[in-house]
Amino acid sequence: MVYGEATGMVQQGQEVDGLITEWHRRYKSHEKLFKRRLRKPSLARRGNIFDSLRNAKDPNGDPISLQSAEYECFVFTVGAQDTTAAFMSAFVDHVLRNPDVKSRLLDEIDHFNRAGKISFPVPSYEETTTMPYFMACCRETLRLSPSVSMILPRYASAGGMFIGDTWVPNHTEISANPFVLHRDKQIFGEDADDFDPDRWLGNLQQVRTMEKYFFAFGYGSRKCIGRHVAVFEAQKFFVQLFRDFDVQYCHRERPCRVENWGINVYFEQYVQLTRRQLVPDKQ
């Protein structure tokens, strides 16, 4: 999507340019990808981000700088990979740390699967959206562990605005952090620090209030433009993973370590996968 060609990891069956193991040097690895693409003008075609940026103009009608194009390509590359990976890691972590949640999730997936409502071998996105408890688990994961847990700055609108009782002048930079906002007990309840998917299955008015302040992908005109792709990928992956495999942490006493690098990064999240056998519906 970004460069009009694959990185080569699937084709070679191995890591390329340190894109996985050298996360802390991700920008250096990205520079290699950008320069490699510059050397391949034959790949120029409509539909990839690199060529769209190379043809883009600034407000004065001049081509944007090569440095700006490189930075934007970096943002799209990281945004597409690392934020989605953080969502996937968080979902697995919360489900495995909460046995009751895992049990209910598997019951729902198995029930829909036996009813022929989940395609094989790969579920469709539309099918995943029909499972209420599963969708509640997805929402609760993004609420409690938003992939981007840092301030998301904006400028106050023309003419200024009130935030509560405070007047904010025109063009003042303001920001909010979804990690903090999603723990507001006045909005999400007294148990806002807990992982509880049922909060999304309760009172409809309360759910609408929570949705109003849901900030995992940003808000307004600057909302994440790749959110639909991220959710599409993740939901299909979750359903197929938990339908086909029993997932357990290898080290239950120390499941994983999470660090906030602007994007949540999960370390040492080792799991054991065992092929599942479907069981009859509970009577």
Side-chain angles (χ1 to χ4, degrees):
M1 291 175 65
V2 178
Y3 294 109
E5 65 173 346
T7 59
M9 283 188 273
V10 174
Q11 294 86 339
Q12 298 179 33
Q14 62 183 11
E15 182 181 5
V16 173
D17 292 331
L19 288 175
I20 299 175
T21 56
E22 298 183 11
W23 199 99
H24 60 290
R25 296 180 59 198
R26 176 63 59 85
Y27 191 78
K28 291 294 183 183
S29 300
H30 170 75
E31 280 185 311
K32 295 179 182 178
L33 292 175
F34 189 82
K35 290 176 180 178
R36 185 174 71 180
R37 180 60 179 78
L38 282 174
R39 294 193 297 268
K40 295 183 177 181
S42 61
L43 290 176
R45 62 175 66 92
R46 295 180 61 185
N48 69 76
I49 294 170
F50 175 90
D51 288 308
S52 295
L53 289 169
R54 296 294 289 130
N55 294 323
K57 308 291 184 182
D58 67 17
N60 296 321
D62 299 319
I64 66 172
S65 69
L66 191 64
Q67 182 179 24
S68 295
E70 180 179 352
Y71 176 74
E72 292 296 333
C73 282
F74 173 70
V75 170
F76 277 107
T77 302
V78 173
Q81 297 174 356
D82 298 308
T83 51
T84 305
F87 177 24
M88 291 177 174
S89 294
F91 184 94
V92 171
D93 185 49
H94 285 302
V95 171
L96 298 191
R97 287 177 186 267
N98 294 274
D100 291 342
V101 171
K102 181 181 178 183
S103 178
R104 288 179 61 185
L105 177 64
L106 293 183
D107 284 347
E108 182 177 72
I109 291 175
D110 289 349
H111 173 73
F112 274 71
N113 191 56
R114 280 188 292 268
K117 296 180 179 180
I118 303 178
S119 299
F120 186 87
V122 181
S124 72
Y125 168 71
E126 290 75 16
E127 290 165 348
T128 70
T129 65
T130 64
M131 294 183 281
Y133 192 71
F134 167 72
M135 292 301 297
C137 289
C138 290
R139 285 182 173 181
E140 186 67 350
T141 295
L142 289 170
R143 181 194 72 83
L144 198 60
S145 302
S147 297
V148 181
S149 296
M150 63 180 182
I151 60 172
L152 302 175
R154 305 286 188 272
Y155 287 112
S157 303
M161 61 188 296
F162 274 103
I163 298 181
D165 296 328
T166 303
W167 173 252
V168 181
N170 173 44
H171 208 63
T172 301
E173 183 175 310
I174 54 180
S175 62
N177 186 324
F179 185 91
V180 177
L181 175 59
H182 289 172
R183 283 164 170 74
D184 190 324
K185 294 183 179 180
Q186 295 184 22
I187 299 171
F188 296 97
E190 289 299 316
D191 63 344
D193 292 325
D194 300 330
F195 184 81
D196 181 15
D198 282 317
R199 77 177 74 252
W200 298 98
L201 301 173
N203 179 273
L204 181 58
Q205 186 58 48
Q206 176 61 23
V207 170
R208 286 175 176 169
T209 299
M210 293 190 297
E211 289 176 338
K212 178 181 178 180
Y213 294 98
F214 190 72
F215 200 50
F217 293 106
Y219 211 84
S221 61
R222 299 298 296 173
K223 198 170 186 178
C224 173
I225 62 174
R227 63 190 182 279
H228 300 300
V229 176
V231 170
F232 176 89
E233 293 176 338
Q235 290 182 193
K236 286 163 62 71
F237 167 74
F238 296 148
V239 173
Q240 185 173 2
L241 175 68
F242 283 97
R243 177 191 63 183
D244 296 349
F245 297 95
D246 177 43
V247 187
Q248 301 283 349
Y249 268 127
C250 294
H251 308 291
R252 297 184 182 182
E253 68 281 3
R254 48 181 179 85
C256 65
R257 185 178 87 256
V258 186
E259 293 185 9
N260 183 354
W261 292 12
I263 296 172
N264 288 339
V265 182
Y266 287 71
F267 295 90
E268 301 171 356
Q269 192 178 27
Y270 302 120
V271 299
Q272 177 179 316
L273 303 181
T274 305
R275 178 70 68 174
R276 295 185 64 224
Q277 298 294 326
L278 292 181
V279 297
D281 279 329
K282 295 179 181 180
Q283 299 298 320

